[in-house]
């Protein structure tokens, strides 16, 4: 039963097709709001300018697709993986040229990924480069099917929360919001909750897993992408019960905002605006609830290759893009409105990623790791104090 689910390709009518969007003449003349479906089946509402941007972006994706296919034709289907040396003698002979070849491939690949992986190649490239394929290869082939069978019918706090969140995960989507979509998403989330009991299930993972299901070819591949994301790509403890990792990320982001966007940070401090009001959802859902899906997946292209530092680049870029507007705000609500409107209509991923990497400046993984270590003691002390207060209140109530 489960084998057929995990191995089959999803026969979903919205499999990525790069059609041109054509608003009516009346809509174009009046610049009215128009509704349409994006590549992954999500209902989108925007004006004609938004549609024009999307069409331009899709044309760039087509062009990128031709570049990727040309590389596959000339270098081989898996050219983006590290070169394999078949013997020690060959390795010694080719040592210098191999280093150069590897470096050239890495630079080429980094640039290509930042420009976007073609939707049709995205499942294969993600699965290889993220480490998901390697992780899957370390367990028996039947691991996922055995796991889903073993946990069937079991009830935990995690499964109860998952069942509660299923109908609230992208409601109205033509596949996710169906009985089959709910059942598939449930198997992935419940399966992972038993694989890693420390994480179990955290709200936010439902959106991440749902989008992975739309991208990957099989349910099982989506499960392994979720596993590598939580176990290797993102910071530890981001999704545990006390969300300690997420709290650390918010403090790191606040510090980075001060360093990278000092004018914005100073103004927000005057307004007593806490960046976690918007950034918590960004980091927990990896922008899947905030950005249009086609833009989110461009962010994920880079995330799976360059790591969690990408989330900071993108979050800072969103603030940076609206710097002048944000500096004119007088109320916390105005800040939230500007940021929400910006993210919901960010149909041009190239604009976002250009700001994220060219205007924000370099941030190494090592630098961010040091920032995390600096923030961890304060976060743990704060969480410990909060827990003591809760226990104190509970003891008073029990008296």
């Amino acid at each position: 039963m489960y084998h057929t689910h995990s191995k089959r390709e999803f026969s979903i009518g919205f499999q990525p097709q790069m059609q041109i969007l054509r608003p009516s003449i009346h809509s174009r003349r009046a610049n009215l709001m128009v509704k349409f479906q994006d590549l992954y089946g999500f209902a989108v509402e925007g004006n004609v300018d938004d549609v024009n941007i999307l069409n331009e972006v899709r044309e760039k994706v087509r062009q990128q697709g031709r570049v990727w296919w040309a590389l596959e034709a000339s270098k081989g289907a898996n050219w983006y993986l590290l070169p394999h040396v078949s013997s020690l003698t060959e390795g010694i002979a080719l040592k210098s040229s191999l280093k150069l070849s590897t470096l050239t491939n890495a630079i080429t690949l980094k640039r290509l990924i930042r420009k976007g992986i073609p939707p049709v190649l995205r499942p294969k490239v993600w699965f290889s480069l993220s480490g998901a394929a390697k992780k899957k290869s370390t367990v028996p082939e039947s691991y996922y099917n055995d796991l889903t069978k073993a946990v069937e019918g079991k009830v935990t706090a995690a499964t109860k929360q998952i069942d509660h969140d299923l109908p609230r995960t992208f409601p109205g989507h033509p596949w996710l919001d169906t009985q089959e979509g709910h059942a598939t998403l449930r198997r992935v989330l419940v399966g992972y909750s038993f694989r890693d009991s420390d994480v179990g299930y955290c709200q936010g993972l439902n959106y991440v897993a749902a989008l992975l299901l739309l991208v990957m070819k099989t349910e099982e591949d989506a499960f392994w992408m979720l596993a590598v994301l939580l176990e290797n790509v993102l910071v530890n403890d981001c999704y545990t019960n006390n969300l300690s990792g997420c709290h650390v990320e918010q403090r790191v982001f606040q510090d980075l905002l001060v360093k990278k966007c000092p004018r914005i940070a100073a103004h927000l401090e005057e307004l007593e605006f806490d960046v976690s009001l918007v950034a918590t959802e960004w980091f927990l859902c990896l922008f899947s609830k905030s950005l249009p899906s086609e833009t989110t997946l461009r962010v994920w292209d880079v995330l799976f290759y360059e790591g969690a530092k990408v989330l900071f680049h993108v979050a800072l870029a969103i603030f940076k893009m609206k710097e002048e507007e944000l500096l004119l705000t007088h109320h916390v609500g105005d800040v939230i409105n500007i940021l929400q409107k910006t993210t919901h209509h960010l149909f041009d991923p190239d604009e976002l990623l250009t700001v994220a990497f060219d205007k924000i400046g370099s941030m190494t993984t090592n630098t961010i790791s040091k920032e995390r270590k600096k923030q961890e003691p304060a976060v743990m002390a704060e969480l410990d104090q909060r827990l003591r207060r809760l226990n104190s209140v509970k003891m008073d109530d029990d008296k």
Side-chain angles (χ1 to χ4, degrees):
M1 174 183 174
Y2 290 98
H3 183 80
T4 56
H5 278 293
S6 63
K7 291 295 183 185
R8 71 170 176 79
E9 289 195 6
F10 294 119
S11 55
I12 307 170
F14 52 84
Q15 284 295 324
Q17 297 177 3
M18 304 297 291
Q19 72 272 22
I20 297 295
L21 301 169
R22 293 184 174 87
S24 68
I25 293 176
H26 174 70
S27 296
R28 292 199 299 272
R29 285 175 178 171
N31 200 26
L32 298 175
M33 298 297 286
V34 292
K35 293 182 179 181
F36 50 91
Q37 272 193 357
D38 69 11
L39 293 185
Y40 293 90
F42 292 98
V44 180
E45 184 174 300
N47 58 32
V48 175
D49 289 337
D50 293 328
V51 173
N52 289 336
I53 288 171
L54 261 177
N55 284 333
E56 290 173 9
V57 167
R58 290 180 180 184
E59 179 55 36
K60 289 180 183 177
V61 171
R62 288 189 192 89
Q63 293 170 9
Q64 273 297 101
R66 288 192 281 271
V67 173
W68 279 81
W69 289 120
L71 284 166
E72 293 226 336
S74 63
K75 294 189 176 187
N78 297 316
W79 68 270
Y80 44 82
L81 300 178
L82 290 175
H84 174 71
V85 180
S86 58
S87 71
L88 181 61
T89 305
E90 183 185 358
I92 295 171
L94 296 178
K95 189 174 181 181
S96 297
S97 61
L98 184 59
K99 284 183 179 179
L100 180 60
S101 173
T102 302
L103 179 62
T104 302
N105 268 5
I107 294 172
T108 301
L109 185 57
K110 186 175 182 179
R111 289 174 179 168
L112 277 175
I113 287 176
R114 286 188 179 185
K115 289 183 178 180
I117 302 171
V120 69
L121 290 176
R122 189 170 271 145
K124 182 180 76 164
V125 176
W126 276 12
F127 204 65
S128 298
L129 292 180
S130 67
K134 183 178 180 181
K135 186 176 287 289
K136 181 182 176 182
S137 71
T138 63
V139 297
E141 188 176 347
S142 62
Y143 176 92
Y144 181 68
N145 288 317
D146 293 343
L147 176 64
T148 53
K149 288 176 183 176
V151 304
E152 185 180 12
K154 291 189 176 180
V155 178
T156 64
T159 64
K160 290 178 181 178
Q161 188 62 55
I162 289 167
D163 288 334
H164 180 69
D165 287 346
L166 288 174
R168 303 192 300 178
T169 307
F170 298 125
H173 188 275
W175 183 76
L176 289 171
D177 196 12
T178 65
Q179 187 174 357
E180 181 190 14
H182 288 174
T184 307
L185 179 57
R186 187 183 193 279
R187 283 192 296 274
V188 171
L189 292 171
V190 170
Y192 192 80
S193 75
F194 280 90
R195 172 181 168 86
D196 187 344
S197 57
D198 288 335
V199 170
Y201 170 73
C202 172
Q203 288 177 306
L205 290 180
N206 50 322
Y207 296 100
V208 175
L211 206 47
L212 286 172
L213 281 169
L214 297 183
V215 174
M216 304 307 294
K217 290 293 183 182
T218 70
E219 171 187 331
E220 185 173 354
D221 285 353
F223 170 84
W224 287 112
M225 286 301 300
L226 183 65
V228 81
L229 188 61
L230 298 181
E231 295 165 17
N232 300 96
V233 178
L234 300 178
V235 66
N236 292 333
D237 302 328
C238 230
Y239 294 95
T240 50
N241 285 338
N242 62 3
L243 297 177
S244 59
C246 184
H247 289 297
V248 170
E249 298 292 76
Q250 297 306 303
R251 283 176 175 259
V252 172
F253 178 59
Q254 177 67 60
D255 276 3
L256 289 173
L257 191 66
V258 171
K259 294 173 183 175
K260 299 289 186 177
C261 306
R263 293 172 67 211
I264 297 175
H267 182 69
L268 295 181
E269 187 176 2
E270 286 182 11
L271 296 180
E272 297 183 348
F273 178 80
D274 185 348
V275 294
S276 67
L277 289 173
V278 292
T280 298
E281 182 180 279
W282 294 352
F283 280 76
L284 282 179
C285 300
L286 308 182
F287 298 101
S288 60
K289 275 190 72 181
S290 310
L291 296 173
S293 72
E294 293 176 48
T295 303
T296 299
L297 296 180
R298 284 286 302 278
V299 172
W300 288 14
D301 285 345
V302 192
L303 172 68
F304 284 123
Y305 186 60
E306 297 188 36
K309 69 171 187 174
V310 170
L311 301 177
F312 294 101
H313 277 278
V314 172
L316 289 167
I318 293 169
F319 277 90
K320 186 69 174 176
M321 290 170 73
K322 291 299 173 180
E323 181 169 8
E324 299 308 319
E325 285 185 46
L326 291 171
L327 292 176
L328 296 175
T329 56
H330 300 286
H331 304 285
V332 168
D334 297 333
V335 176
I336 293 174
N337 288 338
I338 289 171
L339 294 173
Q340 286 183 341
K341 184 178 179 182
T342 299
T343 53
H344 291 163
H345 290 271
L346 238 171
F347 295 109
D348 187 351
D350 291 315
E351 180 187 10
L352 173 64
L353 294 177
T354 296
V355 176
F357 294 109
D358 294 347
K359 295 187 178 180
I360 294 301
S362 176
M363 290 188 291
T364 66
T365 299
N366 188 44
T367 299
I368 292 176
S369 295
K370 288 179 180 177
E371 284 288 329
R372 286 178 181 136
K373 287 181 181 178
K374 186 175 80 173
Q375 297 294 344
E376 280 173 2
V379 167
M380 297 312 295
E382 184 179 299
L383 292 174
D384 184 59
Q385 188 178 30
R386 186 183 302 174
L387 182 62
R388 289 182 181 183
R389 284 200 302 266
L390 288 172
N391 288 337
S392 177
V393 170
K394 187 177 179 182
M395 287 176 65
D396 291 340
D397 290 341
D398 291 340
K399 287 180 180 179

